[in-house]
Amino acid sequence: MGLLSKKDAKLITDPLADDNPITIQVLGICSALAITAELKASIVMAVSVLFVLGIGNVVISLMRNIIPSKIRIIVQLVVVAALVIIVDQVLKAFAYELSKTLSVFVGLIITNCIIMGRFEAFALANGPWKSFLDGIGNSLGYGVILIIVGFFRELLGSGTLLGFKVLGDPIEKTGLYAIGYENNGFMLLSPMALIVVGIIIWVQRTRNKALVEDH
Amino acid sequence: MEHIELFFKSIFIDNMVFATFLGMCSYLAVSKKVSTAVGLGAAVIFVLAITVPLNWLLDQYLLQPGALKWLGAEYVDYDLSFLSFIMFIATIATMVQLVEIIVEKFSPSLYNSLGIFLPLIAVNCAILGGSLFMQSREIQSLGLAFNYGIGSGIGWFLAILAIAAIREKIRYSNVPPALRGLGITFIITGLMAIGFMSFGGMLTGGDEEAPKEETTVSIEKESIENVTFSTVQTSEDKEIANNIKVNE
């Protein structure tokens, strides 16, 4: 990357795999699990978090020298809540059906630990540009997991991707269904989200032994 | 009866952790030992029991469409519900700080054992989620809101207690190395969630909410707004036309 120095580029690429917010830092799990039954909802959620974390990190970083440390949590919450209200209103205006599916989880971006975690760990100690890159990197890392989980759950659960029938028509028995394949409706239920994330973690740690925990 | 139903429903059927995945981060991070898990769980019950009824009052008398009618007839049309996120989170943050101060004053030992968890509760999604679900499920009275808060707190407490106990035991089992720690915890939670799903038909055989009504109502609202907007436009057009005539 010519645009970014090596150190800056690392801020974006690290959270994508080896320092992933969901699988390594254990942050922001709730929404990753709850709204991933459809790929579309996962993408919207990932974009919303990208917006909130990118801007929020810059704002907090700009204010870091004037926030008294005792009330910093409240200040951070107010900043995030304001940004989330924007996202929520935009979604309600332009994608009403989708905002119904996401229900309270848009609001829960406020308490998404990725946001607070990055504010605390990074934005309070670094300049705006670095914080911006860090925000983008972490929300991309979050988005990647969301999209992987959403992809598998929608594909195996309802045989569609973004609403298009990929595996054929389950009622007219075309495509894969002609040879006896059935949708695994269980993938759409909540427990499978946990198990899919568990499997992602398993795959990731098998590939990179350095990440293995001792219990 | 209504109270008992809601109580069991919020503990088992709509369990915060297993049905809606709220508060997962602290659930995963603090469940390595039973003793810390119990501390955090108790704090969550306490904070939920305070903030859900408080936010219910806020919602009922400040935020809902038409909630401001106690101020006078001209305020009936106000709809401040877009402010609910910021109001709810402000209530929660304040209550958590207050609880922190009170606990520090009256029981320093408890305060020390809870340590970092108390401020963490402010950003636990289970707490905000409780208030938001209270709003979206349209809980009818203050008593029910209190009941809902306590019930979902107990549900969360049970979940973290169970996983902490399992994790203490699993230390002695031979888990594949790559799955140790986080991975196996996820999978166990998934299996527990499957178990909790069997509570689904416990009360009424599953009562479904009717989100369809809401959508139609709001669509009607939108269309009404559109209509009024278009009438405004036409009246503006008329005015412009009148002006043009006057100028002529």
Side-chain angles (χ1 to χ4, degrees), chain B residues 18-144:
Chain B
F18 298 126
T20 46
F21 303 119
L22 295 179
M24 283 303 282
C25 319
S26 32
Y27 166 88
L28 290 167
V30 189
S31 59
K32 280 187 182 141
K33 270 168 62 191
V34 170
S35 53
T36 49
V38 169
L40 183 67
V44 166
I45 298 183
F46 186 62
V47 175
L48 265 174
I50 298 176
T51 56
V52 173
L54 262 181
N55 282 335
W56 185 85
L57 287 175
L58 270 181
D59 187 45
Q60 207 70 10
Y61 295 107
L62 215 57
L63 299 170
Q64 265 182 9
L68 283 172
K69 65 170 177 275
W70 55 273
L71 267 180
E74 65 270 36
Y75 295 100
V76 168
D77 293 338
Y78 282 45
D79 176 6
L80 296 181
S81 54
F82 70 96
L83 281 178
S84 40
F85 295 155
I86 217 161
M87 296 291 273
F88 286 179
I89 201 70
T91 318
I92 290 166
T94 331
M95 285 323 295
V96 169
Q97 292 257 289
L98 209 63
V99 169
E100 202 181 345
I101 294 167
I102 292 171
V103 171
E104 191 181 7
K105 176 100 179 144
F106 289 102
S107 168
S109 60
L110 179 64
Y111 179 77
N112 287 332
S113 67
L114 281 177
I116 182 77
F117 301 137
L118 264 178
L120 263 185
I121 290 178
V123 288
N124 186 328
C125 15
I127 310 284
L128 183 61
S131 291
L132 290 176
F133 272 126
M134 173 273 297
Q135 193 187 29
S136 71
R137 287 178 189 163
E138 289 169 8
I139 283 180
Q140 292 304 325
S141 70
L142 186 63
L144 282 174

Side-chain angles (χ1 to χ4, degrees), chain A residues 114-133:
Chain A
I114 292 187
I115 310 235
M116 298 304 283
R118 289 333 287 174
F119 284 0
E120 287 278 306
F122 202 90
L124 281 176
N126 288 283
W129 173 238
K130 276 193 169 167
S131 307
F132 178 69
L133 292 179

Side-chain angles (χ1 to χ4, degrees), chain A residues 23 30 89 96 100 113 190 212, chain B residues 21 25 82 125 177 182 214 218:
Chain A
T23 61
C30 333
Q89 297 291 320
Y96 190 75
K100 274 276 162 213
C113 353
S190 42
V212 172
Chain B
F21 303 119
C25 319
F82 70 96
C125 15
L182 198 57
E214 281 177 37
S218 49

Side-chain angles (χ1 to χ4, degrees), chain A residues 170-190:
Chain A
I171 297 160
E172 291 164 19
K173 300 277 176 209
T174 56
L176 263 188
Y177 298 100
I179 53 170
Y181 176 80
E182 292 282 345
N183 280 333
N184 181 3
F186 205 56
M187 289 299 281
L188 296 177
L189 297 177
S190 42

Side-chain angles (χ1 to χ4, degrees), chain A residues 24-46:
Chain A
I24 311 293
Q25 302 174 34
V26 204
L27 297 174
I29 313 245
C30 333
S31 52
L33 297 167
I35 44 93
T36 45
E38 280 174 61
L39 187 56
K40 203 167 156 196
S42 325
I43 293 175
V44 169
M45 192 68 183

Side-chain angles (χ1 to χ4, degrees), chain A residues 29-185:
Chain A
I29 313 245
C30 333
S31 52
L33 297 167
I35 44 93
T36 45
E38 280 174 61
L39 187 56
K40 203 167 156 196
S42 325
I43 293 175
V44 169
M45 192 68 183
V47 173
S48 315
V49 170
L50 185 77
F51 172 80
V52 174
L53 188 54
I55 297 189
N57 243 0
V58 173
V59 172
I60 292 293
S61 163
L62 287 172
M63 300 201 304
R64 70 183 188 281
N65 294 325
I66 54 169
I67 303 176
S69 70
K70 282 218 156 169
I71 57 159
R72 67 177 193 286
I73 296 211
I74 295 183
V75 174
Q76 289 163 0
L77 284 175
V78 170
V79 170
V80 186
L83 289 168
V84 170
I85 289 176
I86 297 176
V87 171
D88 185 50
Q89 297 291 320
V90 168
L91 277 183
K92 276 200 182 128
F94 294 106
Y96 190 75
E97 283 306 309
L98 209 60
S99 78
K100 274 276 162 213
T101 0
L102 291 173
S103 73
V104 301
F105 288 95
V106 176
L108 289 175
I109 297 178
I110 299 173
T111 46
N112 190 321
C113 353
I114 292 187
I115 310 235
M116 298 304 283
R118 289 333 287 174
F119 284 0
E120 287 278 306
F122 202 90
L124 281 176
N126 288 283
W129 173 238
K130 276 193 169 167
S131 307
F132 178 69
L133 292 179
D134 181 74
I136 299 288
N138 276 286
S139 39
L140 284 180
Y142 167 85
V144 165
I145 301 288
L146 237 66
I147 288 167
I148 296 175
V149 179
F151 176 84
F152 282 112
R153 284 182 75 192
E154 191 177 344
L155 184 68
L156 300 178
S158 42
T160 56
L161 281 179
L162 292 172
F164 295 109
K165 287 173 182 153
V166 179
L167 301 182
D169 194 313
I171 297 160
E172 291 164 19
K173 300 277 176 209
T174 56
L176 263 188
Y177 298 100
I179 53 170
Y181 176 80
E182 292 282 345
N183 280 333
N184 181 3

